[in-house]
Amino acid sequence: MSLQRLKQRVLKNPEVKAEYDKLEDEFNLIDQLLTMRSKAGLTQEQVAERMQTNKSNISRLERGNANPSWSTLLKYAHACGFELSLQAQKMH
Amino acid sequence: MSLQRLKQRVLKNPEVKAEYDKLEDEFNLIDQLLTMRSKAGLTQEQVAERMQTNKSNISRLERGNANPSWSTLLKYAHACGFELSLQAQKMH
DNA sequence: TTCTTGGTTATCATATATGATAACTCTAGT
DNA sequence: ACTAGAGTTATCATATATGATAACCAAGAA
C-alpha cells in the first residue's frame, strides 16, 4: 500500500525512474508488471485500451495481489511493448 | 498431437533427453513445462501429488492449449524443483 | 495373454479471473 | 476554487481455470 504509493511518487522523478528502469532483477510479479509499464511510459488507461479492457482492471491487476493467467500476462506485456517468456532456475 | 507423441517417444532415449534438457531456449509455454518435468525426472502423477491435485489435471495442463494462472505455473515449477520468474524483453 | 505404469480424455461442480460500469481520491495545473 | 488526469475501489455478471472422478489407450514386463 504505502510502498506502492512511495514507489509511485519516487518514480515521478525522471532520474530516479531511469535508474529504476535499469534494474532487471528478480522482482515479484507485480513489480515486473509495474516495471514494464514504467519503461513503456504508458498510463493504465493506455494499456487498458491496447488490451481491449478498462483501466480499472489494470489497476486491479497491478495492485490486488494478482494471480493473472498466462494470456493476460502476455497481453499486458505486449501492450507495453515487451515479449514474454518464463525463466526457470533449478532450486537447491 | 503427433508432435507431442513424437516428443514423448524421442525423450525416452536417454541421450536425446540429455540433449533436449540442455536447450534453454525460447519455447512456448507448454514446452517449458514439459522441459521442467523432464529435467526433474518426474511422472505426471508425482507432480500431481506435490501440487495436491490429480494426474489428469497435469495432463490437461501440459496438453490442452493451456492458459494457466501464475500460481499454477509456480506450483508446477516448484513441484519440479524450479524457481520461476518472468523474463521480459523489449519488442522492436 | 495379463498386469502394471504413465498418460489421455470426457465430464461435472466449484472457485476464481476477467469484463464492465460507476463513484471515489489525489495531485498538478490554471 | 475549479478542472482534468491518473489511479483506486466496489460491485455485479460472465467466462474460464481448476479439482475430482472415472474410463480409456499404449507400451513394456512377467
Side-chain angles (χ1 to χ4, degrees):
Chain A
M1 297 303 194
S2 65
L3 172 71
Q4 296 287 354
R5 193 131 217 96
L6 174 65
K7 224 180 274 173
Q8 211 171 306
R9 297 204 178 173
V10 164
L11 291 182
K12 284 197 174 171
N13 180 330
E15 296 180 337
V16 175
K17 178 175 172 301
E19 282 307 311
Y20 187 80
D21 286 350
K22 276 188 201 159
L23 299 162
E24 291 260 12
D25 294 329
E26 72 303 58
F27 289 133
N28 61 39
L29 184 63
I30 293 180
D31 278 334
Q32 303 213 32
L33 298 182
L34 288 175
T35 300
M36 279 192 270
R37 187 163 68 84
S38 172
K39 286 188 181 177
L42 297 172
T43 67
Q44 289 183 342
E45 195 162 22
Q46 289 172 316
V47 172
E49 283 171 16
R50 300 182 181 198
M51 288 177 67
Q52 317 226 55
T53 183
N54 317 291
K55 64 173 183 171
S56 62
N57 298 323
I58 306 302
S59 174
R60 176 176 55 192
L61 180 59
E62 290 180 353
R63 315 209 81 243
N65 282 322
N67 184 29
S69 69
W70 179 247
S71 75
T72 300
L73 291 174
L74 269 186
K75 279 187 223 159
Y76 184 97
H78 292 164
C80 294
F82 288 87
E83 198 48 81
L84 210 59
S85 61
L86 281 184
Q87 192 171 15
Q89 53 183 348
K90 210 174 188 173
M91 287 193 299
H92 47 266
Chain B
M1 297 304 195
S2 64
L3 172 70
Q4 296 288 353
R5 194 132 215 94
L6 174 65
K7 223 178 273 171
Q8 212 171 306
R9 296 204 180 173
V10 163
L11 290 183
K12 283 198 175 171
N13 180 330
E15 296 180 338
V16 174
K17 178 175 173 302
E19 281 307 313
Y20 187 80
D21 285 350
K22 277 190 200 156
L23 300 161
E24 289 261 11
D25 295 327
E26 72 302 60
F27 289 133
N28 61 38
L29 184 63
I30 292 180
D31 278 334
Q32 302 212 33
L33 297 184
L34 289 175
T35 300
M36 278 192 272
R37 187 163 67 84
S38 171
K39 286 188 181 176
L42 296 173
T43 68
Q44 288 183 344
E45 195 163 22
Q46 288 172 316
V47 172
E49 282 171 18
R50 300 182 181 199
M51 287 176 68
Q52 319 228 54
T53 182
N54 317 290
K55 65 173 184 173
S56 61
N57 298 323
I58 305 302
S59 175
R60 175 176 57 193
L61 179 60
E62 290 179 354
R63 315 207 83 242
N65 282 321
N67 184 29
S69 69
W70 179 247
S71 76
T72 300
L73 292 174
L74 270 186
K75 279 187 224 160
Y76 185 97
H78 291 165
C80 295
F82 287 89
E83 198 46 81
L84 210 59
S85 62
L86 282 183
Q87 191 170 17
Q89 51 183 350
K90 209 172 183 175
M91 288 193 299
H92 45 267

